[in-house]
Amino acid sequence: MEARDATAGSLVSSDGEEQTAKEDAAPTKDTPQTKGKFEKIFGFRREDLTSWDSLVTLLNRPSDPASLGIFRCLFGLLMVIDITQERGLSHLDYKFMDGAPVCRFPLFNFLKPLPLDWMYLVYVVMFFGALGIMLGCFYRLSGLMFISSYWYIFFLDKTAWNNHSYLYGLIGFQLTLMEGNRYWSIDGLRRPSIRNAQVPLWNYTILRTQIFIVYFLAGIKKLDADWVEGYSMSYLAHHWLFDPFKVILPVELINLLVVHGGGLILDLSAGYLLFFDATRPYGIFFVSYFHCMNSQLFSIGMFSYTMLATSPIFCYPDWPRRFFARFPAFLSAVLPITSTDPQPSTSCVYNEIQSTSTERQETPTVPKASKMRLKHKLGAIFTILYIMEQFFLPYSHFITQGYNNWTNGLYGYSWDMMVHSRSHQHVKITYKDGKTGEIGYLNPGVFTQSRRWKDHGDMLKQYGTCLNEFLPRYNISEPEIYFDIWVSINERFQQRIFDPRVDVVKADWSPFRPNSWLMPLLVDLSPWRTKFQEIEGSLDNQTDIVFIADFPGLNLENFVSEDLGNTSIHVLQGKVNVEVVEEKKNYTLTPGEQIKVPAGAYHKVYTVSEGPSCYMYIYVNTTEAALQENFTKLFELQERVRNGTETEPLPPELQPLITADDEGSEVNATDPIVQLFLKRQRRMKEVKKRREAGAVERLQRFAVKKYYTIRRGLLMTAIALRNLAVGLPPLEQLTREVAFANMKAPQAEGNQDDPLKDEVGHGEL
């Protein structure tokens, strides 16, 4: 008989029910068992939940180690790859900038990064930990090496927090406590007593529950009005991956039905589809398609592939045996064990002591436990507490109230994936010298490489405190720091997220109290988004628009670039007072009224109504419009030259248009507009060529890029370890070594990393 396992409502299963019965029964004859309907569906009996002892027995039921071993191997491999990329080994020196004045955002302020060479050592520990997990070599030690270094790096930088990085740490923690080295592992070769030994059911229960939570709670979070109405990820509908749907549906319906509706239904149902035998093939198909799309839509590293690796966890745990049994026999030496007879383990609870058959006496076995031990009870307690904690944490925001900034709580563990999209229109940092009263402005992002501080009060507090420490070096005494940050969340009005009148250095912040200087999200104005679409649809391609909402008693100071012509303010709601600074004039506007503001000058918009004001800027980039008009004329002229309809000789400054198609020819034009036109054409050809490249060329380009990324990480790690071992070499030698590590692939077709201005990029949110 083959071992079977069906997931349950609590994601437990009757793992190896038939096989366990065969092993535990007397060797003369198996006692046939009749399964009830409940047990056939859920994989366990109701009686298994009626008492503590029966529940402990259920959670420690012997299970086939094969599926857990394969997942351990895949997860370790993906983490080995992830360390050089999303964890940042390939650019660690840029990430931590050893010795430079840098503002950092750790979870706890006392956490500091080690010196750069030692940080490389931390990454080496994490790398070998992940490698040990993959190989099942010194498994517990490898797991501890991985999770200790991983969580240290995770807590060092909140700006890098996201749900999938949090998930990696959780899975690493789970695997460390499990017996994942019982199948296809080096430990199994070293210790025959654990090789192919059964594992307790709670090992599978926790993993399955964790993945169920990821899907299901992500779906619950999407039951938000913004997601249901199609405002969270509306830009995705324009991606080429949705082109097949555009044959039968307009983009608006693709956004509403496919992107948002499909994502909601999939997340809510994926865990259940994977749960039942009858629906599991459909579940695996849909989640695989979903994650393959996500790997192309977003820059999310190994997340899509990690989730693909978790799907087989829901299958019967003996699936690797049946899968690898189909391979040729000569490969058996390097493939996992295909024998369907795993050996017993003291980690499991058996119904009775097995009578060892004569044919199996030649192989040493681990004695079976006939009764529960302390470790069995501890495993059951851990399983229950861990599952309760994972269901509780995403809704624990009544505790961590200081982290709430227009989201559902502390970023990173809420599983609110892709629920919020943000755009920033205006960021201003003002400092004031506490002694002289001098006021000045800072470049947003000074002393930091991150941009995420703009959206979170805890990081803004850390950033303001850091600026307060650095500015005295530049003769600014006792600085006060003020932030004026305008954000639009899910296509709403641009509005302030923090009170610009509050000195963040002195402002109070606690993770356990609401943020008093966080401005409320103007959800009452959300219905205006339908009107936005109508207004934007009525404008031509050269006209842009920005929708603004502001609070009573506040004002927006704005500068209109000289490139922007016909800039006007239109009031939609409330009452505003527009001050043109140079003219020293004030204009009061009510709903329906508008005013044109001069280019190349400052103006201020005061909200003087009792409630929030709503207005919009409508403007035309006259410089860009004129440039596009010139490009159109040059293109038409170039086409006439190509087809021979242009009879007039070209002036010298337009002669480069004739040789523009020559391969390898340099853009050598004296006229700046012609030069821009030819460069733009050259880049567009390169982009088109890359997009139309065949599978082999794409794979080659991908492999070369990854090779140089991994190469740099390994070489810089070797340099750091050498420095720790024997000390720093002469500066000239170190410079040569770093330059060699920084070597990149030759760009045969120009700079492929130079994107076109009009290309739409989709980054991770």
Side-chain angles (χ1 to χ4, degrees), residues 73 93 100 106 109 166 223 257 263 265 341 357 447 484 503 514 518 520 526 561 586 596 600 657 673 675 701 748:
C73 184
D93 48 337
N109 289 328
Y166 172 60
L223 291 174
L257 300 179
I265 294 173
D341 192 17
S357 61
F447 298 122
D484 192 12
D503 174 16
L518 171 68
S526 298
S561 171
N586 292 275
K596 186 175 181 180
L657 294 175
I673 295 179
Q675 189 177 35
R701 190 164 59 234

Side-chain angles (χ1 to χ4, degrees), residues 402-454:
Y403 290 98
N404 291 359
N405 292 314
W406 297 356
T407 68
N408 295 323
L410 178 59
Y411 40 87
Y413 63 54
S414 296
W415 311 118
D416 52 351
M417 294 176 281
M418 304 300 175
V419 176
H420 306 288
S421 61
R422 299 168 181 259
S423 63
H424 298 82
Q425 184 68 27
H426 180 71
V427 179
K428 182 172 71 173
I429 305 178
T430 306
Y431 70 83
K432 180 179 180 180
D433 192 305
K435 290 186 177 180
T436 65
E438 176 188 359
I439 294 177
Y441 303 95
L442 299 176
N443 182 31
V446 64
F447 298 122
T448 181
Q449 296 176 311
S450 172
R451 296 178 295 175
R452 203 169 178 182
W453 53 267
K454 296 182 290 187

Side-chain angles (χ1 to χ4, degrees), residues 203-217:
N203 285 200
Y204 287 102
T205 301
I206 289 181
L207 276 174
R208 290 166 175 162
T209 306
Q210 184 69 74
I211 303 307
F212 176 87
I213 287 173
V214 172
Y215 283 121
F216 185 69
L217 291 192

Side-chain angles (χ1 to χ4, degrees), residues 45-62:
R45 299 169 300 171
R46 291 188 179 94
E47 291 78 8
D48 292 331
L49 304 178
T50 56
S51 68
W52 171 246
D53 287 347
S54 61
L55 179 59
V56 173
T57 301
L58 173 64
L59 290 174
N60 287 276
R61 179 178 294 174

Side-chain angles (χ1 to χ4, degrees), residues 214-229:
V214 172
Y215 283 121
F216 185 69
L217 291 192
I220 294 295
K221 298 287 186 175
K222 288 181 174 63
L223 291 174
D224 179 78
D226 285 1
W227 184 276
V228 174
E229 294 174 10

Side-chain angles (χ1 to χ4, degrees), residues 105-178:
F105 306 91
L107 176 61
F108 306 106
N109 289 328
F110 64 82
L111 280 176
K112 306 291 183 184
L114 300 172
L116 183 60
D117 289 340
W118 288 98
M119 288 303 300
Y120 274 104
L121 181 60
V122 171
Y123 271 72
V124 169
V125 171
M126 182 167 56
F127 179 86
F128 280 104
L131 187 64
I133 291 175
M134 181 185 75
L135 299 176
C137 182
F138 298 103
Y139 181 66
R140 302 288 186 202
L141 176 61
S142 296
L144 288 173
M145 290 169 59
F146 176 75
I147 63 172
S148 59
S149 52
Y150 185 94
W151 283 104
Y152 167 67
I153 293 168
F154 185 82
F155 289 146
L156 267 182
D157 186 11
K158 287 185 290 188
T159 65
W161 282 17
N162 50 44
N163 287 280
H164 63 264
S165 295
Y166 172 60
L167 178 64
Y168 298 161
L170 293 179
I171 294 178
F173 169 68
Q174 295 167 18
L175 288 176
T176 301
L177 300 180
M178 295 176 184

Side-chain angles (χ1 to χ4, degrees), residues 634-635 638-639 642 657 660-661 675-687 756:
L634 290 174
F635 179 76
Q638 190 180 54
E639 287 297 307
R642 287 173 179 172
L657 294 175
D661 293 333
Q675 189 177 35
L676 286 174
F677 173 75
L678 295 177
K679 285 184 177 180
R680 183 176 184 272
Q681 276 197 325
R682 183 72 49 94
R683 292 198 303 271
M684 289 180 67
K685 287 181 180 179
E686 293 169 1
V687 170
L756 290 177

Side-chain angles (χ1 to χ4, degrees), residues 628-646 650 654 657 677 681:
Q628 290 297 331
E629 183 179 356
N630 287 328
F631 282 177
T632 301
K633 293 179 179 179
L634 290 174
F635 179 76
E636 293 174 350
L637 177 60
Q638 190 180 54
E639 287 297 307
R640 292 198 301 270
V641 172
R642 287 173 179 172
N643 57 34
T645 59
E646 178 63 30
L650 296 181
L654 299 181
L657 294 175
F677 173 75
Q681 276 197 325

